[in-house]
Structure formats: C-alpha cells, structure tokens
Amino acid sequence: MSELLPIHLLIVEDDEDDYFLLESSLKEISFEKKITWAESYSKAIELIKSETFDIILVDYRLGAHNGIELVEFVNEYSPYTPTILLTGLKETTIDQQALKYGVYDYLVKDQYTTESLSRSIRYAIEKSKVVKSLKESENKFKNLFENAVEYVFLIDSKYLIIDANKAALKLFDYSEKNKIIGQNIADHINPKISELEKYLNLTVEVEFTVRHLSKKCFCIMNLTAVDAERNIHQVVL
C-alpha cells in the first residue's frame, strides 16, 4: 500500500471507548497514517470543511444525527472522499440503505478484524480513485462532444436523437436542445439508416436534410456504438 502513503483518516465517533478501540486497530495496520478524531457530527462537519481527508470512518449513531446524514454531506461537499460506515450488531439491516446513499463499505463493530479493516480501507480508497477517473473521463468526453466542429448526435435504438452538440444545434438553427431531442435522425438522412449494423464503424457519404429550413447538406457520416448494452450510438457528420 506504499502508493497510498501517508493516509489521513478521519474517525467520526461519539463514544470515546469505541474510538480508542478503532484507533488501536488502525495502528496495527502497516501503513503510514495520520488519524483525526471528530467526537460529534458538528465537529466532523467543521473538520471536513477545513481539512482534506483520504478516507472517513463514520459511526452510524451520532447523537441527534446519524452517519448516513454525514455521508450525504461528504458526497456533496467532497464527492470523491470515500466513507466507511461503522454499525452496531443490531443495525446490520442498514447495509443496503448505507450503500444506496453512497457509503463505500460498512463494518460491524465488535466483528471487524485488523485484516478486514485494512482491506476495507484499501477497497474504499481504490474505488474512489476509479470513480474519480471515470468522472474525469466523462467530463472530458462531454467537452469534446459539445465543442466538436462536426455535427454530433447520440441516438437510441429507434434512431431518436437523445443528445446533440452545439454544431448540430446550429445546423438545425436551434438554440435549445429540447427542440432537437426526440426527432428521428433517419428522417434526415439519405440513404436511410434502416439497419444500424449496415453502417456501424463505416465512413459513408450521405445526404443530410433539415426539412424545416429547406437545407440540404452532403456529408461524410460515421456511426459508432458508445453504449452497446443500452444500444446507444453516436452519429458524426
């Protein structure tokens, strides 16, 4: 785990004895670490706003609040900071609720071991890196999509337009996407796109018309699958 050194952990726990037990277990894990303790919900909020943490371990019961409320705050304020929820034996039924609200992992008090604690921390930090990387890739694709000089459309299996970039909107003389979303792109292309598979990954010459403007363009079209599972394709003209 040398690539993660040092790790700054925040423990949010209002029971001092439980905190010291967790701290003791963490000290047995063989990676360099800095541990900060927040003994209340409000203290945790204060620390999260003022410091950067690599991971946050949160007790489910925090006085008038609960750990899921804090996880929701973390997801909004610092979305790539992973969280692990600590629950009591009688609270194991909240695991699905916890995962639904974005908890990376959860551990049951009095049952976790040093090994399971270490594994949970590794898993949460690595997962947060993947999530961040995917989001950055998504944003990069979005920027490329929106600002491409080509006319770019995303279509579904029925050839309905579900998104279009700025150039495509300009081609249709639209200022808002809701004017173009839902149109059938096959109505504008000759020869007709009757079978996606026929044109998939090929570059072909087509005639593209914008009927309400009586505009006709002769274009090079490229069709690729961007989400095979959902049958979403990208059309570039």
Side-chain angles (χ1 to χ4, degrees):
M1 203 167 179
S2 58
E3 73 276 14
L4 300 177
L5 300 179
I7 295 176
H8 192 183
L9 302 101
L10 174 63
I11 300 175
V12 187
E13 172 62 77
D14 60 359
D15 186 298
E16 188 174 20
D17 290 337
D18 284 348
Y19 164 71
F20 284 122
L21 284 171
L22 180 56
E23 182 191 38
S24 177
S25 295
L26 286 169
K27 287 181 177 178
E28 293 179 20
I29 300 175
S30 59
F31 56 77
E32 188 178 341
K33 64 193 75 65
K34 176 184 177 183
I35 300 172
T36 300
W37 177 29
E39 68 280 6
S40 67
Y41 178 90
S42 58
K43 182 63 176 179
I45 297 292
E46 178 186 327
L47 287 168
I48 292 166
K49 287 182 176 180
S50 62
E51 298 186 43
T52 299
F53 297 97
D54 296 302
I55 189 164
I56 301 174
L57 286 73
V58 186
D59 185 24
Y60 178 68
R61 296 195 177 277
L62 295 171
H65 298 276
N66 64 53
I68 292 193
E69 291 178 67
L70 185 61
V71 168
E72 289 186 275
F73 172 79
V74 173
N75 290 342
E76 291 181 9
Y77 190 84
S78 182
Y80 302 118
T81 301
T83 52
I84 296 175
L85 192 68
L86 303 170
T87 68
L89 289 172
K90 296 180 180 179
E91 298 158 344
T92 54
T93 56
I94 69 166
D95 55 356
Q96 292 301 318
Q97 180 189 6
L99 295 174
K100 176 183 176 182
Y101 283 94
V103 173
Y104 280 64
D105 203 0
Y106 63 92
L107 295 170
V108 179
K109 291 181 177 180
D110 301 324
Q111 287 192 350
Y112 67 79
T113 63
T114 301
E115 181 181 351
S116 64
L117 180 60
S118 175
R119 183 170 59 248
S120 183
I121 291 172
R122 291 172 184 269
Y123 166 79
I125 291 178
E126 289 304 318
K127 182 180 177 182
S128 71
K129 287 183 176 181
V130 172
V131 170
K132 184 177 182 181
S133 177
L134 288 173
K135 188 63 179 178
E136 288 174 347
S137 296
E138 179 185 336
N139 290 337
K140 185 181 293 185
F141 171 79
K142 187 70 175 177
N143 287 333
L144 289 172
F145 172 84
E146 288 293 349
N147 298 309
V149 295
E150 298 86 1
Y151 312 124
V152 188
F153 306 84
L154 293 182
I155 62 173
D156 64 15
S157 59
K158 296 180 180 179
Y159 316 110
L160 300 180
I161 298 171
I162 58 177
D163 202 355
N165 72 345
K166 295 175 183 177
L169 290 179
K170 187 175 181 180
L171 174 66
F172 277 76
D173 197 26
Y174 291 149
S175 59
E176 299 176 357
K177 287 193 178 189
N178 60 2
K179 298 287 184 66
I180 199 171
I181 290 174
Q183 290 196 34
N184 193 317
I185 200 169
D187 293 339
H188 302 279
I189 294 178
N190 185 33
K192 296 289 186 181
I193 301 182
S194 56
E195 298 175 359
L196 286 176
E197 295 79 5
K198 182 177 179 180
Y199 297 100
L200 194 59
N201 298 320
L202 294 177
T203 299
V204 296
E205 294 183 2
V206 297
E207 180 182 294
F208 191 89
T209 60
V210 184
R211 293 181 178 180
H212 69 281
L213 297 177
S214 299
K215 182 191 293 186
K216 183 181 295 186
C217 308
F218 295 93
C219 306
I220 300 296
M221 182 186 77
N222 181 262
L223 178 68
T224 56
V226 295
D227 190 331
E229 185 176 337
R230 295 165 57 200
N231 208 3
I232 294 175
H233 291 73
Q234 177 176 269
V235 179
V236 180
L237 299 173

